[in-house]
Each structure stands twice: as structure tokens, then as C-alpha cells.
Amino acid sequence: MTRIALTVNGSRCEADVEPRQLLAYFLRDQQGLKGTNVGCDTTSCGACTVLVDGESVKSCTVFAVQADGCEVTTVEGLAQGGELHPVQQAFHEQHALQCGYCTPGFVMATISLLLENPDPSEAEIRDGLEGNLCRCTGYHNIVKAVQAAARAGA
Amino acid sequence: MIPAAFEYERAGSVDEAVALLGRDEDAKLLAGGHSLIPAMRLRFSRPSLLVDIGRLDDLRYVRESRDRIAIGALTRHAQLVRDPLLREHCPLIGEAAALIGDPQVRHRGTIGGSVAHGDPASDLGTILLTLDAELVARGLQGERTIPAAAFFTGPFDNALEHQEILTEIRVPKAAGTYLKYVRRAHDWATVGVAAARVDGRVHVGLTSMGPTPLRARNVEDALADGASPADAAARAADDTDPPADASASAEYRTHLAQVLVRRALERL
């Protein structure tokens, strides 16, 4: 076991982990943060996307020990005081989901995209979300939601 | 899919990492982990010790070094894409890095990890071979410089000793372009083609046309003899050994290499 100390959604946490423990399972099983979904386990689908030090990563492809000392944000860390994060609000209003399984990953990837490019074109949004797969909606409303979130200054 | 168990050590310096590698002949280096961790999850790779060099931030840089650009081995793909020095002096690197994986992968993956992994379908190896880059490695005997032409020794293999770490990559200032054909978003290259002007000569490199990145020497010689891009490109698949897999047959790759080399030369 290796001792790690990190910040998850603003709270400091310390834990003993096996080095082979992947960040996605650390968050789900040890921290109880089930909003981070594991879809493919092959770095393909992006459902497990979280932010590490403000940048999107696929948490099925990062060992928990690599996040030692880092700041991790999951979908549970977005809403403040009962208010949805502007990107969550935009996904809600634009109906950018059907089954919802991919949604936490899309929301986290969108936040990272808008941090790097606050006013993306439609092509830049589609490229910027290339690492996330949705098998229900066909992406149209997801792109609309990202555009709405960008307009709202997310 | 959980990787096999392993011991984990985080190195605080390159020298410490070199020493840690000496502890176990099945030890492997962990940089960004975006080639190694997927392979470990599928248990294609089962190192007994992982030496994490991912926190060696002094190996993350791009700087001008006389007539060359020096890139720290742990520079992430996302940094290569937006680096102003590379954009000005060697745009081929950022152009190719932007085509690797997806944004999440580019936030973690590193140039050194990518080329040391030695996947014949990866893009940056081809770029370094095309540019005649130099790869700087540090080991027990100190530092040495390996020309890219001697670095790629086979699929998933390279010229590094077990206790040797890639620290820097030096590329010439050069105009160039990289074309990558993929069947699906964030896939590896079915075929990739790099073309660059290096010291007044056109260099052409190929991805996924053999067990390592390759140079299309016959194309280069034909161009030096004054052939048109279309005539030179007809030689693109000479002396290659393209694989046949789920993405494409060897015949299709042969055809694609010729088309992409012609397009790359016309863009250069």
C-alpha cells in the first residue's frame, strides 16, 4: 500500500492505496463518488473524465498514486449551494443527454475545453470533445449545450 | 480490467530513477502513462516495478539551443501543440501532436514516453526520424546522444539501455507537414506521412508502414534528382513492410502511402 494525500472536490483526503488502483475506482469505491462512470476501461469513451489540476483526464488511465498531491474535481464537486454549474445547467436546458451515462464525462471535458478556449467554434467544440462518446443523442444537443455554456461565460 | 500488481517508486531526479531501474530487471518507467497503463490494463505489459518520473518537471520545456530546438522528454502533447517556439521554428511537431489521441490523452501523454514506447503506429517517432532528431539519454555512464535513425530498433523497442532515461529531444528548425489518415476519431494512424525541408533537402517519413517508423528514401532521392511530387510519391511504399490488420490491408496501406506522400509534398 502507498499513502496518498490529495484534494477531492475541495476537501483534503488521505488514503492508503494499492499502486495499481486506478483513479476512477479510487474515486468510486474508496471515496463513494459514483458520478464518475467507467464506460469502456480502454481510454476510449471518456465517461470517467475528471479534472486533475484543472485539466481533463480519463481517470481509468491514471493511477491514484499519480494524483498524490493533486487537486481532483469530479462532477459531484461542481454544483455550489444547490445551484448547478453553468455547464450542468446548459446540458439540462439544451437536453444534451438521454440515458445520462456519458454526461458526467462530457460535462467535465466541456469545463476543461472552455477553460482552454472560452469561445470555441462549432468545429472546435466537436474536436475538443473528440475523447467522449455518446451513444444516444448524436451530439447535436451536446454541441448546443457547450455553445450555451460558453455564452453564459462558464 | 485491473493491471497486475506492481511495486511503485516515485523518482525525485533522473539519477534516482536510473538507480531505481537497477533494482529490478522487469522495472519500467512511468511518464504520462498513456501508452503503458492501457497495455498494463490488458496485461500485455506486467512490470514488477514502476519508476514514476512524471513529477520531474525540469524535463518539461521547449527552448532554443543555437540552430536547434530542445524539447524536454516529459513535455506533454498539449504543450507541444501550443508552444510558440515550435509553432515558429518546427511546426511539424505541434501539428502531429494535435492529432494524437484526444484532449484528455494530450493532457497526460509525453513526447519522451511516446517515442520510447516505440509503437510503429505512433506519430511522433516518424516526425523525429524525418527531422533527423537527436535523442539525449542519461544512464550509469552519463549522457549520450542517439540519432533518431539508430533509436527505433523494432516494434515497441528502442536503443535505450535498461538503466537509461530519455531526457531531451533536439530537432532542427524546419518547415514541414504531417498527414494522418484514420478511420475513427482518436485512432492510431492507418498510415501517416511526414514531409520536411531539412538543410535544403526534402525528408519523407512514414507511420504504420513497417515495424518501426520509416524513411521513404527512394522518394527523397527522386526529389533530389528533380522528380515531380507525383512521380516521387509513386516510390512511397518501396522497401516498406506494411501490416494488415482490422484497419486496413497491406495493399490499401501501400496505396494510401503513395496518395498521402503526394499530398504532403504538394503542401510542403
Side-chain angles (χ1 to χ4, degrees), chain B residues 1-266:
Chain B
M1 293 186 290
I2 308 295
F6 55 86
E7 259 191 278
Y8 173 85
E9 295 284 355
R10 186 187 299 154
S13 67
V14 172
D15 290 339
E16 191 189 345
V18 168
L20 284 165
L21 287 171
R23 227 164 69 178
D24 188 333
E25 61 180 21
D26 289 324
K28 267 187 101 64
L29 289 174
L30 175 65
H34 271 54
S35 300
L36 183 58
I37 296 174
M40 288 176 65
R41 246 180 351 214
L42 296 168
R43 303 212 177 186
F44 292 151
S45 179
R46 305 176 65 131
S48 44
L49 168 65
L50 273 194
V51 177
D52 187 356
I53 54 170
R55 301 295 174 95
L56 302 183
D57 289 335
D58 51 345
L59 292 186
R60 259 187 260 289
Y61 57 84
V62 177
R63 54 189 174 226
E64 216 167 346
S65 165
R66 292 187 298 278
D67 57 336
R68 317 209 101 199
I69 304 293
I71 306 168
L74 290 179
T75 308
R76 299 187 195 281
H77 303 321
Q79 291 171 272
L80 299 174
V81 173
R82 58 178 181 245
D83 186 82
L85 267 180
L86 285 175
R87 200 166 281 183
E88 188 182 343
H89 296 299
C90 197
L92 190 51
I93 303 245
E95 209 179 298
L99 300 174
I100 296 172
D102 52 51
Q104 290 96 318
V105 170
R106 296 194 287 272
H107 285 149
R108 298 293 297 181
T110 68
I111 184 169
S114 174
V115 299
H117 183 63
D119 187 332
S122 88
D123 307 299
L124 289 173
T126 301
I127 303 297
L128 300 194
L129 184 69
T130 304
L131 291 170
D132 277 337
E134 295 169 316
L135 295 95
V136 182
R138 199 139 96 219
L140 291 170
Q141 263 71 54
E143 202 164 271
R144 68 175 174 132
T145 302
I146 308 166
F151 186 81
F152 301 101
T153 51
F156 304 100
D157 206 358
N158 60 52
L160 295 171
E161 302 290 336
H162 178 62
Q163 275 182 276
E164 206 169 36
I165 295 176
L166 187 57
T167 56
E168 185 176 276
I169 289 141
R170 295 180 191 146
V171 294
K173 295 178 181 174
T177 192
Y178 186 64
L179 299 180
K180 173 177 178 173
Y181 180 81
V182 291
R183 290 172 67 94
R184 303 176 302 179
H186 64 72
D187 207 351
W188 281 269
T190 305
V191 172
V193 167
R197 282 182 205 284
V198 183
D199 297 331
R201 202 181 141 92
V202 175
H203 291 190
V204 178
L206 304 170
T207 305
S208 276
M209 286 297 287
T212 63
L214 297 175
R215 283 280 285 276
R217 302 276 179 195
N218 287 351
V219 175
E220 296 177 9
D221 291 344
L223 289 169
D225 289 342
S228 68
D231 288 342
R235 316 293 303 274
D238 291 5
D239 305 322
T240 63
D241 183 17
D245 56 28
S247 299
S249 64
E251 292 74 19
Y252 183 62
R253 283 193 161 91
T254 298
H255 171 73
L256 201 52
Q258 293 167 351
V259 172
L260 293 178
V261 167
R262 177 176 53 75
R263 287 183 191 164
L265 293 175
E266 285 167 354

